[in-house]
Amino acid sequence: MEEKKFDPNSLIGFVLIFGILLWIMYQNKPTEAELAAEKAKKELVVKEEAKVQQNAAKLNVASAVANDTLKLAQLQKSLGSFAYSATLASAKDDYTTIENKLVKLKIANKGGYIAEATLKNFERFKKGSGKLVQLIKDNNAQFNLQLLTKDNHTLNTKDLYFEPTLTKNGEDQILTMRLKAADNAYLEYKYVLKATDYMLDFDIQTQGLNNILKTEKPLQLEWNLKTYTNEKSISYENRYSEVYFEYEEGKSDYLGQGNDKTETAESVSYVAYKQHFFSSILLSSTPFKTAELYSNNLVNDDKVDTTFTKQFKAVMPLAFKNGEIDQKMNWYYGPTDYKLLKSYDRNLEDIVALGWGIFGWINRHAFIPMYGLLSMFISQGWAIVLFTILVKLIMSPVTYKSFLSQAKMKVLRPEITEISEKFKDEPMKRQQETMKLYNKAGVNPMAGCVPGLLQMPVFYALFQFFPAAIELRQKGFFWADDLSSFDSVYKLPFHIPAYGDHISLFPILASIAIFFYMKMTTGDQQMATPQQEGMPDMAKMMQIMVYISPLMMLLFFNSYASGLSLYYFVSNTITIGIMLVIKNYIIDSDKIHAQIQENKKKEPKKPSKFQQKLQEAMAQQEAMKAQNKKK
C-alpha cells in the first residue's frame, strides 16, 4: 500500500483562501458614520414604541376613570354619601377574627357585626361530640342600624361594607369597623376583647355624619337571633330558652314561652337571649329608652324541628347627642352560669331561673353555696347524693314533728271514733266535742300539716335549682352520661305520648321510692284521722294518690334532667329510712298515750283565736239549724 505524502500546494491554497476572506471582511466593515446612523435608527424605534405604550396606558387610565366615575355615580344613586364605602378595598365578603382562651368571634366586613361566635370549652349535645357550641353561625343572627340620610336614602348597615382595623393594647384585642362616607366621616363599631373574658366592650359612635344623617329621630337598632339547639333533649332545652331583660333600674322580667310573644319595655339596660345553658346578651351603659321585644317558638314537633329552638328579636332606639351617636355597650357570649354572671355586677344572674320570692332566696343563699362547696371536692353525682343527705338532715326536725303529730292523733283515734258514734246525728256537736278533746289532750290536729307546708318551699326551690345548674352539664354518674339531661338506658322503637321514645332509669327508681314512701305515710294518716261525716273520703283519695303520684313522676321526669330524678330518688329513700328510725326507735306510743292522759287532767289550755272563731262559727251554724227546724 502506498504511503501518503505531504502536499505543499494544498497548504498554499488554504492560506490564499483565508487571506481572501480576511480582505473581504475588511472591505465590508461599516464606517463610523454608518454605525452612528444605525444607532440613531434603533433609538428612534425604541422611542416610538415607548410613546405607543404611554398612549395606550393613558387610554386605559381614562377608561378606568370613566368606569369608576360611572360606577360611583350609580352607587351614589342607591347609597348616597355612603357610596364611598363601596369603592374601598374592604368592600368584599371578608372576615376579621378576634379570640381568646374562651371565645372565638368572626366579624364580617358586610354589616360589621359578629357573624360567628364559638365557645371553645363547650361541646354540643354530648361530651366528645367534637362539635363546639356556636351561638352564631350560618347567618342565624343579624345586627342592623337603619340610617336615614338627608338626601332621602334609607340604608341598612347590614347591607353595607365596613373597613376593619385590628390593633392590640397589651393583651386586649381592639377591632374597629368603620362604615365610611369619607375618610373623616364614618359610623364606627368598636370591639374590645380581653384575654380571659366572655364579655367584650362594644361601642357605636359616629364621626362627621351630622351633615349626612337626619338627626331629628334616633337610629333604630335591630338585633335578631335564631337559637341553635345545643342539648340532647330539644324539648327540655326549649323549655328554658327565653328572652330576659332588665328595665327601670334593676327590675328584671322575661317574655315567656309560646308563639309570637311581644312586649315593649322602657329604660332597658340589657336584653338577654337565653338558651338554657348559654346566653347572648347585649348590655348598654346608658339604658335604651324603649325596647320592642319578640319571641317565637320554633319547636312544634321535637322529632322534626331539630335545628332551632326560638326566634328572638329586639328593636331599640339610639339617640343623637349634638348630632352624633356615642353609645357604650357590651356583648356577652358565654355560659348561663349564675356565679359567673353575678361576678359582672350587672344583675345578669337574674336570667338564671331559680324561682321567685322565697324559692329564689333559698337557692341563691343556701343551695348554690352549699352545692358549690361540695362539688369542689367530689364529682357532681356524689355531690348531689351528699347534698340531698344534708338537706334531709336539716329538714329532719320538721319530719319528726309531722310524725309525732300523726302518732298523737293515732292514740286519740278510739276516743274520736267514740265521739263520732255518740253524736252521729249531730255533725256540729260532733265537731265541737272533737275540738274540745284536742284542746284538753293538748293536741293540734293542724300540727301534721304545718311541717309538710314548711317543706314545700324547699321542694320547689330544688325543682328550680337542678335544671339551672350548668355544673351538671355533660357530667356523668353511673349509667347517666349527662346529669343535666335524661339518662336513657333503652331506646324505644316507637314514641309514647307524654313519655317519649326512651326509658330513663333514675325516674323509675324515684317512682318506686315515692310509691313506698306514700304507702307508709298513707297508712299512718288513715289510722290517725277518722272519717268525718259530710267530708270527702280522704282515705280513698290517698289510696288513689299512692299510685297516681309515682306514675306522674315516671311520665313527667322521663325527659327531665337525670340529676333531678337522682335527687328525688335519694331524698325519698332517705325519708323512708328516717321514718323507720323515728317510728321504731324514737316515738313511743305508750309514752305519748300516758302524756295525753296527764294533759287531760290539767286545766285545758285557753283556745287560740283561730279555735275560738271556729267554735263561734260552728255555734252560729248550730243555732241557725235549730231555728230552721222550728220553722
Side-chain angles (χ1 to χ4, degrees), residues 489-521:
V489 293
Y490 183 75
K491 180 75 173 177
L492 296 173
F494 48 84
H495 185 272
I496 301 175
Y499 184 73
D501 59 357
H502 63 275
I503 296 176
S504 297
L505 186 52
F506 275 129
I508 294 175
L509 295 174
S511 299
I512 293 172
I514 287 176
F515 173 79
F516 284 107
Y517 166 73
M518 295 198 68
K519 196 76 172 173
M520 293 175 65
T521 56

Side-chain angles (χ1 to χ4, degrees), residues 501-549:
D501 59 357
H502 63 275
I503 296 176
S504 297
L505 186 52
F506 275 129
I508 294 175
L509 295 174
S511 299
I512 293 172
I514 287 176
F515 173 79
F516 284 107
Y517 166 73
M518 295 198 68
K519 196 76 172 173
M520 293 175 65
T521 56
T522 301
D524 288 341
Q525 289 171 359
Q526 289 175 359
M527 293 181 66
T529 308
Q531 172 65 27
Q532 300 290 331
E533 185 179 346
M535 299 295 290
D537 192 343
M538 297 301 296
K540 289 184 179 179
M541 293 179 63
M542 290 303 297
Q543 287 176 353
I544 295 173
M545 290 302 296
V546 167
Y547 299 96
I548 291 180
S549 295

Side-chain angles (χ1 to χ4, degrees), residues 97-100 167-168 171-175 191-193:
T97 299
I98 55 176
E99 60 182 310
N100 57 22
T167 58
K168 280 192 174 185
E171 294 186 347
D172 296 349
Q173 300 172 64
I174 303 171
L175 176 63
Y191 301 88
V192 181
L193 180 64

